[in-house]
Amino acid sequence: MSTPADSAHLMDAIVSLAKRRGFIYPSSEIYGGFNGFFDYGPLGSELKKNIRDCWWNDMVRRRDDIVGLETSIIMHPKVWEASGHVAGFSDPLVDCKVSKNRYRADQLFFAPVVIDGKTVAYVSALESEKTIEELQAAAELYKRKKALVGTLAPVVAKDFTEATEAEYSLIPSPGTGEPGSLTAPRAFNMMFQTNVGAMTDASSVAYLRPETAQGMFVDFKNVIDTTRVKLPFGIAQIGKSFRNEITPRNFIFRSREFEQMEMEYFIHEDADWSKCHQEWIEWCRQWLLSIGLPEAKLSLYAHKKEKLAFYSKGTTDIMFEYPFGVQELWGIAARGSYDLTQHGTASGKPQEMFDEATKKKFVPHVIEPAVGVDRIILAVLCAAYAVEDVTDEKGNTEQRTVLRLSPRIAPVKVAILPLVKNKELLVARAKDLHTKLKRKYAVQYDDGGAIGKRYRRQDEAGTPWCVTIDFDTIEKPGDTFTLRDRDTMKQTRITEAELFALLDEQVY
Ligand code: GAP
């Protein structure tokens, strides 16, 4: 099997396949696109729906301790004051006064060029998996260009948030390659603002939510008053979130409009939060395996205690090895009682529960697994994509592109392929099977072109099985079809009942 040699090539191949096959398009493409926004095409919207459905079924419907919720995208602005987002939901921004480019200070790296122990200049590079190599190469180039003699020290990289005031004007801008044009970092709030109602003054300012989580906290009392939930219990929600990211990048990995699947799991203030946190980390990991992500590409990153918010007891991210580096896929945070306490204080309505044993009121603590649907989609596309050589029965070798998507999430579960178009009985049997299957599953009827071409089309779409209705189906006893497996390309005979049993077992 061969896959594209380097990571940039792999990302290009995935972006191109996503466009070509109708998974993901740039938003507003006929107007040149819109940075940080994407559209999901026919296959992409099925894939996304399947991922959402799997999560909802496993997280909400198949558990007795979690209920679902759908809250509004625009909430009372006081929600975001109480949650701390108005004051603190920001990234450090650096402007280049000459090129007018903007950078996230924590993604802009620099290093002094040190020759014989003396700093002679600075070099800079944007964050990538090759940042250090790029800085080292830039330092060597500087030394060569200026014909400097002496021993160049290995570069020691820092990000721009760590730069001293004196260094701001000495660090070259990635936009111009020259020092002197970068500003000091400043906090840039990432919430999108809008105005609600006919007035457009300060009194009408509202925000598009930057996370779905606050909906669960604000409706906490509604849920406990209208359901029979008992601690420990969770409230889950899937929905769009919006962040005015300074540098949206890596395709759908970091975008400005994205979808989150978040769950707030409330526990007693005296409960063993660490055990619960660990259990949720493992639940999330297992769930990612259940939709087909390979274990070898997943890892855990526990945030350093000193980098956590003051109220946080611990956060662990499940990381995925994307082609552009190992990056956060799913964050699992132990947030203590911070959010409920904040909303209790700000609204004047304490968000408490009553402990029958101690006869005291208390504010529950929370464990929060929060993941982005789009990041999962990118991970499954990267893990599923392969280009391989296949040899037919005549010994001819050709390349096929295949998406090895799990049947749980594949956009099309089965393709129904009548061998010929002009045999009435055969076509009728194919259409009859199509009608029966599509009541329950996403299936595709394809009678265009040679059978081999049709297989390749389905391989690229990630369809796990193709069913060919051939002459044996109508002429031989048993009413069987040819079932072709996407991954092994093996063909077997199967009855309609066996096909339904296979789908029932694999698509859940
Ligand atoms: N309520 C907690 C919260 O929102 P977060 O780490 O900021 O935490 C949770 O976001 C998840 O949402 C991330 O792990 C990631 O999967 C996804 N996410 C965050 N920002 C994103 C963006 N700009 N584009 C795509 N997905 C994003």
Side-chain angles (χ1 to χ4, degrees):
M1 189 176 89
S2 66
T3 45
D6 61 77
S7 54
H9 185 176
L10 177 56
M11 271 311 284
D12 288 348
I14 287 165
V15 173
S16 150
L17 174 83
K19 169 82 197 297
R20 188 172 74 245
R21 292 312 316 267
F23 280 94
I24 301 162
Y25 311 126
S27 163
S28 321
E29 200 182 5
I30 59 167
Y31 293 102
F34 201 37
N35 196 11
F37 298 90
F38 293 90
D39 295 342
Y40 283 84
L43 288 181
S45 47
E46 284 287 343
L47 175 63
K48 200 174 192 192
K49 181 179 175 345
N50 293 340
I51 290 172
R52 276 194 224 112
D53 288 351
C54 281
W55 188 88
W56 191 262
N57 286 336
D58 293 338
M59 182 65 93
V60 180
R61 292 195 176 154
R62 294 177 182 144
R63 294 185 65 111
D64 300 324
D65 56 346
I66 298 183
V67 293
L69 191 71
E70 192 174 315
T71 63
S72 59
I73 286 175
I74 299 180
M75 302 167 81
H76 197 295
K78 284 191 175 157
V79 169
W80 306 109
E81 283 168 28
S83 67
H85 283 82
V86 171
F89 193 61
S90 53
D91 273 342
L93 171 79
V94 176
D95 282 301
C96 169
K97 288 178 279 187
V98 174
S99 68
K100 306 291 175 215
N101 288 345
R102 299 189 133 180
Y103 306 100
R104 246 177 73 174
D106 56 343
Q107 292 173 350
L108 170 50
F109 284 81
F110 71 96
V113 179
V114 180
I115 295 178
D116 289 342
K118 226 175 119 211
T119 297
V120 294
Y122 283 82
V123 286
S124 65
L126 292 174
E127 185 184 38
S128 73
E129 68 272 29
K130 292 193 183 126
T131 308
I132 300 290
E133 288 97 310
E134 281 175 22
L135 288 172
Q136 189 66 43
E140 279 160 18
L141 184 65
Y142 182 87
K143 183 179 175 232
R144 242 188 349 267
K145 267 191 173 167
K146 299 278 174 191
L148 300 175
V149 284
T151 308
L152 177 71
V155 292
V156 178
K158 286 183 182 170
D159 75 52
F160 205 83
T161 61
E162 300 167 288
T164 61
E165 244 172 78
E167 284 174 324
Y168 296 155
S169 61
L170 302 174
I171 297 168
S173 157
T176 63
E178 297 297 326
S181 61
L182 292 176
T183 63
R186 65 187 165 88
F188 173 78
N189 194 299
M190 288 194 289
M191 280 198 295
F192 279 103
Q193 271 193 27
T194 185
N195 294 87
V196 173
M199 305 293 285
T200 52
D201 59 12
S203 69
S204 65
V205 167
Y207 305 96
L208 302 194
R209 68 179 175 203
E211 61 171 25
T212 62
Q214 295 306 318
M216 273 81 92
F217 298 123
V218 170
D219 268 339
F220 175 73
K221 272 279 183 193
N222 278 336
V223 172
I224 52 176
D225 290 347
T226 56
T227 65
R228 291 164 48 80
V229 290
K230 295 260 176 309
L231 283 183
F233 73 90
I235 311 179
Q237 160 157 239
I238 301 178
K240 287 271 178 132
S241 293
F242 304 82
R243 296 183 189 178
N244 196 3
E245 296 281 357
I246 299 168
T247 49
R249 57 184 183 158
N250 290 327
F251 195 29
I252 52 170
F253 178 81
R254 187 179 304 288
S255 50
R256 290 179 166 138
E257 173 178 337
F258 55 99
E259 198 155 341
Q260 287 186 307
M261 307 196 287
E262 297 197 278
M263 194 276 295
E264 307 300 327
Y265 199 71
F266 297 99
I267 54 176
H268 193 284
E269 58 176 349
D270 298 330
D272 185 348
W273 69 268
S274 174
K275 181 164 170 269
C276 186
H277 189 217
Q278 290 307 317
E279 284 167 1
W280 274 111
I281 295 167
E282 187 51 19
W283 189 96
C284 298
R285 218 179 63 82
Q286 290 298 334
W287 188 83
L288 291 171
L289 299 179
S290 85
I291 60 159
L293 287 185
E295 191 153 19
K297 288 199 178 283
L298 299 176
S299 55
L300 297 182
Y301 171 74
H303 287 231
K304 295 200 172 68
K305 285 251 175 320
E306 59 274 17
K307 296 246 170 177
L308 294 173
F310 71 93
Y311 53 81
S312 177
K313 292 172 173 254
T315 295
T316 296
D317 293 337
I318 300 181
M319 313 291 283
F320 181 77
E321 191 189 323
Y322 291 96
F324 44 85
V326 174
Q327 297 280 343
E328 173 189 340
L329 172 57
W330 199 331
I332 301 107
R335 297 179 60 87
S337 63
Y338 174 76
D339 304 271
L340 288 181
T341 304
Q342 287 293 104
H343 289 301
T345 311
S347 65
K349 299 182 182 78
Q351 303 295 299
E352 297 168 334
M353 291 184 87
F354 185 70
D355 186 336
E356 291 291 347
T358 61
K359 304 288 177 211
K360 277 198 203 140
K361 287 183 178 166
F362 67 97
V363 180
H365 286 213
V366 76
I367 306 291
E368 177 191 76
V371 67
V373 184
D374 313 80
R375 276 196 196 175
I376 295 179
I377 290 177
L378 186 54
V380 296
L381 288 178
C382 293
Y385 181 89
V387 179
E388 53 187 30
D389 293 333
V390 286
T391 310
D392 65 17
E393 4 11 298
K394 291 181 195 139
N396 302 321
T397 301
E398 60 164 23
Q399 277 207 328
R400 73 162 182 160
T401 301
V402 57
L403 277 185
R404 298 182 191 279
L405 295 172
S406 154
R408 287 196 83 190
I409 59 169
V412 178
K413 308 302 178 193
V414 186
I416 298 135
L417 317 177
L419 189 62
V420 292
K421 277 198 232 184
N422 57 1
K423 185 90 187 163
E424 212 177 300
L425 258 183
L426 190 151
V427 171
R429 185 63 187 101
K431 291 205 162 148
D432 167 64
L433 181 66
H434 182 220
T435 306
K436 287 180 185 155
L437 280 170
K438 72 181 172 186
R439 283 186 203 133
K440 228 176 146 186
Y441 300 105
V443 292
Q444 219 170 61
Y445 188 90
D446 185 359
D447 61 4
I451 199 80
K453 278 231 165 65
R454 287 185 259 168
Y455 285 154
R456 295 286 170 274
R457 267 207 291 275
Q458 296 300 333
D459 288 344
E460 271 202 342
T463 307
W465 300 285
C466 289
V467 168
T468 305
I469 290 77
D470 50 25
F471 292 103
D472 281 359
T473 312
I474 50 169
E475 287 168 3
K476 289 201 174 154
D479 186 34
T480 59
F481 325 109
T482 302
L483 179 83
R484 187 254 193 189
D485 182 281
R486 177 198 63 203
D487 298 342
T488 61
M489 291 182 287
K490 283 215 173 93
Q491 302 191 6
T492 45
R493 299 290 307 175
I494 191 169
T495 65
E496 186 179 302
E498 285 164 347
L499 177 61
F500 270 94
L502 172 74
L503 288 168
D504 191 40
E505 191 204 306
Q506 302 274 331
V507 182
Y508 58 95

